[in-house]
Amino acid sequence: MAGRGEDENLITEGDSLSGQDNGSAGARSMPAICDPSHWSHRIVVLSFMCFLGFGSYFCYDNPAALQTQVIQDMKLNTSGFMQLYAWYSWPNVVLCFLGGFLLDRVFGIRLGTIIFATFVLVGQIIFAGGALAGRFWLMEVGRFVFGIGGESLAVAQNTYAVNWFKGKELNLVFGLQLSMARLGSTVNMNIMGWVYDSIKDLVGSAGPTTLGIALMIGASTCLLSLTSALVLGYLDRRAERILNKEEGKTGEVIKLTDVKDFPLQLWLIFIICVCYYVAIFPFIGLGQVFFIEKFDFSPAEARAINSVVYIISAPASPVLGFIVDRTGKNVLWVAFAIVGTLAAHMMLAFTFWTPWIAMCLMGGTYSLLACALWPMVSFVVPEHQLGTAYGFMQSIQNLGLALIAMAAGSILDNRGYLFLEVFFCACICMALIAAVMLYFVDLLRGGDLNLSAAARARLLKSVSTDSE
Amino acid sequence: MGFVVVPTVQIYTFILFLLIHSTSGLDGYDEYRRNVSMELNPGLKKPSTGAGLVHVRAVGSDDTLHFLLCSHEAPALMLVHTNSSSSAVHIDWEAFLNGNYSGSLKVVPESSVQFSSALVFTRLWEYDDVNDTADPEHLTPSSFFPPYELQDFSWDDLNTTINLTNHSVTLCGRNSSTSFRNGSLCLAFSAFGSKGRGAVWPGLLHNANSSQLRIWLDNVSPRSNQSRFALELQSVSSAAQRGHVDVLKSIDDEYTPSIFKVSQWVSSPSNASSAVLGYTQWKPVAYRTAQPKFEDATPCRHSNPVLVSQLPPSGWVQAFFRDGQQTSALNITFSIAGDPFYNVTNYLSWSILVGLGPPPLDSFSPLVLTIMAVGLGTPLALILFGGAGACIFKKGQHPQGYEPIN
């Protein structure tokens, strides 16, 4: 989940095969908004692209937004509840390798997008149906199906973006998509509780039925995504016909044998990625009740603060990305971000200070880490291995998320929040150890991970003059 | 490298300090040990129904704590502290069994008594929470069923449950109504000779100056489908009792998951209100099953203490305390709005600690401190040694100073 939106950009930006300039002649007679080569038409397309991912981001954190309700209505303990997140991650341990392949070779981008959007919708409906029927195992199945679609849909979304915007406003488009994703998560966190309460008033009591209806309403966002996928498919085909352009490709080439050539630095980056994100997403999954129990927040306040990481990430990501791009020194930025997150978790664990401080700090450092960490992969592996490297990174990240989600649930059940926070601190400490090692390994091997932007530009220039 | 070494050493020292502090405990109270012995109906010649007194003598180096668990009428736990290690309980059984309570229980020598208090469980309230508010203070009187007066309960013989080696005893009782046909209200008492922690949640921390009571309500037939319960406590003390219950925040929920508060109702000498002579301490949580899991926890709340004009309806308390002793009462209400009603599990348990002196305070467990120490120490050590190593390595690569041009 974590990497969604942040990493895929790099793959597609790096080695997409697609995205020819589409300046060729079209039917000039049509109005600008219908003309695929005109910017106003691309804005229409962009809005559909943004809504394509909205549903899956909205529904991913449905359990977190309704934590108390899910636990009470389905009579779960916290470990059971966290299974909902684990089941989302399991399919993606494998699918991170397969998603690009399926889009490029099997379905094509248009059909593939529709299929994945359908998986997301069907998964959410099964999830909600499980709640309606009062069957928790069915809800787990729903999350599994949802997971199959969710992550791959993000790949498809980025491929569309490259196809339509490469060489124009691509970074802005990625930024917008990411902000839209965070918006989806935020809206979900803050609205689902209210939806549930309204339905509770209508139905007359809380219970699986109420939960099921609330989740069904959540599924309408997935329907919106599927509609967007259909419209996008139509518009893309129409553009292909008018402009004679190719269907988009992710360009991902996964070769598992590349793994043996991965340098030590890349493995350290993987460790940072896993250890860092497992202390963010499972924490958010369990956050709402934590803020209620420890800090005496009202449920609405707790949902608001639990979405702060996403809210901050939306505007901060582009700004921080710009700063990291300009300054370089990625390893130091990563280490700094990890230390900041560690401080935030320690505040939550060992103080009663208002959690707004800690959560804002976490939101800022989380965005910083995303901006500094994911691009580093492209510095340590050759371009043709990028797809494999990113696929592998996401795969073990999902493996980590699935395992830690389950561990976090049972730690909370048996030893409480302090111990859970200490556990998250320990994970972050491991990420910090890996970052420090990365710094030294890079220093000793004379790598360029921690170069300043200016030095990196000089290096690039000398390489290109050498090759001339 | 000096600038790196100093903070590292400081942090390690700090961590070491924390570890030592948490494992050995710096304040003397926690390490204090007492020699504990337990006896049933001390001095009673021939067994008699309605006697019901367990006496715990906890002898320290120059003082004695007497705990008395009484099952005559309303169940009560008395605590008497003397400054003599040879003080004893003296009972006039004949007078007591004849109903002449007053003065029939003494701790001698009477001049050695420093502090005495009693906690009495007087009533069990049951109310029909139709609107699911769990707020009995704002309910109409018609929502309340007639309360169970615990002074009318018949209590099982203590002889069958007393465990003289563990210093524990369980007292179960019931009245003749149909609600208690298969159910009972029980109190499990434990006395301690040293520092430790309860094995089951809420896992209260105790020391040699405290004893624990677990109260549970098992398999009672509620009188409505939305029944919730509340418990009335009365407390008598030789010192001034605070007019309010202090609710302290507690960072550490490791032993009572998700509970970050601890409530204590303390007695102070009337001339110095900050000193604490005795306390009743609890975590504001009750559990809905006998082997509680995380989701079986349900919060509990207390009302403000109010003064009561007469001694509580407990024989032994009336036997020890004189009329006119200050008595206060408060209610503990279990559960909050939205939590399941009693009939879902037909079980409710709640634990309290009763003791002398300042209440014990939780501190971080050694495991938590070790994890944090290793977690923070390792990256620092890495930076330290890695930095030094890198410096040496770089120096080896590029010898310092000017190199000859040719």
Side-chain angles (χ1 to χ4, degrees):
Chain A
M1 173 66 196
R4 293 169 65 176
E6 283 136 16
D7 51 330
E8 296 294 346
N9 318 353
L10 291 146
I11 305 172
T12 37
E13 214 174 358
D15 48 10
S16 171
L17 307 171
S18 66
Q20 300 179 341
D21 263 6
N22 44 3
S24 61
R28 292 282 172 224
S29 55
M30 64 181 96
I33 200 148
C34 301
D35 178 358
S37 63
H38 197 269
W39 63 268
S40 58
H41 181 75
R42 281 209 304 277
I43 286 180
V44 174
V45 172
L46 175 62
S47 62
F48 283 111
M49 276 180 206
C50 286
F51 279 108
L52 185 60
F54 186 83
S56 80
Y57 283 101
F58 185 93
C59 294
Y60 170 78
D61 265 328
N62 269 179
L66 295 174
Q67 188 187 350
T68 36
Q69 291 87 341
V70 172
I71 287 178
Q72 220 162 64
D73 294 347
M74 304 308 295
K75 301 193 171 43
L76 301 177
N77 54 18
T78 320
S79 331
F81 169 77
M82 287 307 277
Q83 288 287 352
L84 293 176
Y85 281 97
W87 277 110
Y88 176 90
S89 290
W90 286 126
N92 292 305
V93 175
V94 176
L95 272 175
C96 290
F97 294 111
L98 278 181
F101 172 78
L102 290 175
L103 280 175
D104 286 354
R105 307 286 170 80
V106 184
F107 302 128
I109 175 79
R110 286 165 217 143
L111 184 62
T113 308
I114 293 165
I115 289 173
F116 290 137
T118 311
F119 265 107
V120 167
L121 176 65
V122 171
Q124 177 72 13
I125 288 175
I126 297 175
F127 181 53
L132 274 176
R135 299 274 186 278
F136 185 64
W137 63 266
L138 195 58
M139 293 178 79
E140 290 177 324
V141 171
R143 288 292 282 186
F144 183 83
V145 175
F146 181 76
I148 292 174
E151 214 89 343
S152 308
L153 193 61
V155 181
Q157 192 185 18
N158 287 312
T159 312
Y160 263 130
V162 173
N163 192 15
W164 280 82
F165 291 95
K166 190 166 191 194
K168 296 199 174 62
E169 308 89 0
L170 190 57
N171 279 317
L172 179 70
V173 168
F174 280 141
L176 273 175
Q177 282 185 351
L178 197 59
S179 298
M180 195 67 182
R182 298 289 171 253
L183 187 73
S185 308
T186 310
V187 171
N188 158 64
M189 284 284 187
N190 290 293
I191 210 174
M192 282 310 283
W194 175 80
V195 169
Y196 182 94
D197 287 341
S198 315
I199 292 163
K200 193 172 104 181
D201 289 343
L202 277 177
V203 175
S205 70
T209 318
T210 313
L211 182 66
I213 296 173
L215 293 175
M216 276 300 178
I217 291 176
S220 65
T221 57
C222 299
L223 193 63
L224 183 72
S225 292
L226 180 59
T227 316
S228 301
L230 291 166
V231 173
L232 268 180
Y234 167 75
L235 289 178
D236 197 55
R237 220 172 79 181
R238 180 168 166 274
E240 181 187 275
R241 188 162 39 85
I242 297 173
L243 302 176
N244 297 319
K245 68 169 193 164
E246 263 181 63
E247 192 177 20
K249 292 264 199 286
T250 67
E252 272 182 59
V253 183
I254 307 279
K255 261 178 71 187
L256 285 179
T257 49
D258 287 348
V259 172
K260 66 181 189 327
D261 302 326
F262 284 169
L264 178 60
Q265 285 100 315
L266 187 62
W267 290 106
L268 289 171
I269 292 173
F270 288 171
I271 293 174
I272 297 174
C273 172
V274 174
C275 293
Y276 184 87
Y277 284 109
V278 295
I280 300 288
F281 290 98
F283 169 71
I284 291 177
L286 291 169
Q288 193 195 340
V289 176
F290 172 66
F291 295 117
I292 295 175
E293 305 259 352
K294 178 162 180 180
F295 298 98
D296 289 330
F297 275 36
S298 71
E301 267 182 308
R303 284 189 284 265
I305 193 170
N306 206 21
S307 60
V308 143
V309 170
Y310 295 139
I311 295 176
I312 290 183
S313 167
S317 292
V319 178
L320 292 170
F322 179 77
I323 293 174
V324 174
D325 277 349
R326 281 300 155 104
T327 55
K329 303 254 176 214
N330 287 47
V331 183
L332 286 185
W333 284 118
V334 165
F336 179 70
I338 295 173
V339 170
T341 309
L342 179 61
H345 266 305
M346 285 179 70
M347 274 184 224
L348 292 171
F350 299 114
T351 73
F352 278 107
W353 299 348
T354 172
W356 288 101
I357 307 172
M359 290 308 281
C360 290
L361 180 61
M362 193 185 288
T365 49
Y366 160 80
S367 317
L368 178 60
L369 183 115
C371 298
L373 181 73
W374 293 92
M376 281 204 297
V377 175
S378 62
F379 302 152
V380 292
V381 291
E383 204 171 299
H384 68 270
Q385 292 181 348
L386 266 184
T388 316
Y390 277 117
F392 206 78
M393 189 159 166
Q394 271 191 300
S395 168
I396 56 173
Q397 185 193 2
N398 273 294
L399 184 67
L401 282 175
L403 293 174
I404 298 297
M406 298 197 301
S410 74
I411 287 175
L412 177 56
D413 277 344
N414 294 302
R415 309 215 63 161
Y417 284 106
L418 176 79
F419 206 85
L420 179 67
E421 276 299 317
V422 167
F423 172 73
F424 285 144
C425 286
C427 293
I428 299 271
C429 284
M430 280 199 268
L432 185 59
I433 292 168
V436 172
M437 283 171 69
L438 180 63
Y439 179 82
F440 287 121
V441 168
D442 192 59
L443 194 71
L444 295 181
R445 292 197 176 180
D448 53 1
L449 282 182
N450 205 33
L451 290 182
S452 68
R456 196 169 282 147
R458 274 202 301 278
L459 190 75
L460 206 66
K461 205 172 164 190
S462 68
V463 169
S464 57
T465 42
D466 282 353
S467 61
E468 268 168 23
Chain B
M1 292 311 287
F3 65 96
V4 187
V5 175
V6 174
T8 315
V9 169
Q10 275 176 346
I11 285 179
Y12 267 114
T13 321
F14 175 67
I15 290 165
L16 210 64
F17 168 77
L18 282 177
L19 268 173
I20 292 166
H21 182 86
S22 78
T23 47
S24 67
L26 286 182
D27 57 318
Y29 257 115
D30 285 349
E31 282 313 289
Y32 199 72
R33 285 178 168 273
R34 286 178 184 276
N35 211 346
V36 178
S37 60
M38 192 180 230
E39 54 184 337
L40 181 63
N41 297 331
L44 181 65
K45 299 286 186 304
K46 55 178 195 291
S48 162
T49 53
L53 183 72
V54 173
H55 172 225
V56 169
R57 226 173 99 90
V59 186
S61 53
D62 55 358
D63 67 341
T64 309
L65 259 181
H66 298 272
F67 289 105
L68 295 149
L69 182 72
C70 329
S71 70
H72 189 86
E73 301 177 342
L77 178 61
M78 271 194 274
L79 179 159
V80 182
H81 181 226
T82 67
N83 62 2
S84 147
S85 51
S86 60
S87 61
V89 168
H90 181 271
I91 300 166
D92 183 348
W93 282 102
E94 204 181 323
F96 183 84
L97 293 174
N98 286 334
N100 302 322
Y101 297 152
S102 187
S104 60
L105 169 63
K106 287 194 182 96
V107 172
V108 290
E110 283 188 272
S111 60
S112 69
V113 174
Q114 302 293 300
F115 171 73
S116 54
S117 70
L119 186 70
V120 188
F121 300 87
T122 46
R123 264 193 199 105
L124 180 67
W125 300 98
E126 181 179 353
Y127 61 98
D128 187 6
D129 196 11
V130 184
N131 297 324
D132 194 6
T133 58
D135 188 11
E137 285 185 48
H138 295 102
L139 281 181
T140 53
S142 63
S143 308
F144 285 87
F145 296 104
Y148 298 110
E149 302 286 347
L150 300 188
Q151 68 191 79
D152 302 334
F153 272 39
S154 59
W155 301 98
D156 293 346
D157 191 0
L158 289 166
N159 208 6
T160 54
T161 58
I162 197 162
N163 185 332
L164 296 176
T165 46
N166 290 350
H167 313 119
S168 64
V169 61
T170 303
L171 174 66
C172 287
R174 59 200 60 78
N175 70 4
S176 51
S177 72
T178 51
S179 300
F180 279 89
R181 185 174 293 148
N182 299 316
S184 53
L185 174 80
C186 296
L187 295 94
F189 168 82
S190 313
F192 312 105
S194 60
K195 187 185 177 185
R197 194 181 281 285
V200 290
W201 291 345
L204 298 175
L205 181 69
H206 58 248
N207 57 28
N209 288 334
S210 55
S211 64
Q212 185 179 299
L213 268 181
R214 194 164 86 91
I215 299 106
W216 69 92
L217 194 61
D218 188 14
N219 213 20
V220 174
S221 316
R223 286 173 278 183
S224 82
N225 285 335
Q226 298 92 27
S227 274
R228 292 191 197 280
F229 287 90
L231 194 61
E232 183 187 275
L233 308 181
Q234 293 193 12
S235 174
V236 191
S237 173
S238 64
Q241 288 186 57
R242 284 231 177 119
H244 60 270
V245 174
D246 297 313
V247 179
L248 308 180
K249 282 185 170 182
S250 155
I251 288 284
D252 194 348
D253 74 330
E254 190 179 345
Y255 301 99
T256 321
S258 88
I259 304 302
F260 290 93
K261 290 193 185 92
V262 55
S263 310
Q264 44 203 37
W265 190 18
V266 303
S267 299
S268 319
S270 37
N271 50 1
S273 58
S274 60
V276 174
L277 283 175
Y279 61 88
T280 303
Q281 186 195 53
W282 66 89
K283 297 242 175 148
V285 63
Y287 293 97
R288 295 187 292 108
T289 56
Q291 268 87 41
K293 294 191 290 293
F294 187 76
E295 60 274 20
D296 300 326
T298 187
C300 62
R301 288 174 300 151
H302 57 83
S303 65
N304 269 328
V306 291
L307 287 178
V308 179
S309 57
Q310 57 194 31
L311 282 177
S314 167
W316 290 111
V317 173
Q318 291 174 7
F320 183 82
F321 287 96
R322 255 168 280 147
D323 249 345
Q325 195 93 38
Q326 197 191 57
T327 305
S328 325
L330 58 74
N331 287 321
I332 301 286
T333 52
F334 302 107
S335 203
I336 49 162
D339 266 15
F341 297 105
Y342 177 79
N343 65 2
V344 174
T345 54
N346 279 334
Y347 191 93
L348 203 57
S349 89
W350 179 61
S351 299
I352 56 172
L353 205 66
V354 173
L356 177 78
L361 280 177
D362 262 325
S363 56
F364 298 125
S365 70
L367 182 58
V368 162
L369 291 168
T370 312
I371 292 173
M372 289 313 294
V374 173
L376 295 176
T378 314
L380 278 172
L382 255 179
I383 292 174
L384 187 66
F385 294 115
C391 279
I392 293 163
F393 181 78
K394 286 275 159 182
K395 264 188 192 155
Q397 273 192 331
H398 310 286
Q400 270 187 342
Y402 293 103
E403 286 178 52
I405 292 166
N406 291 316

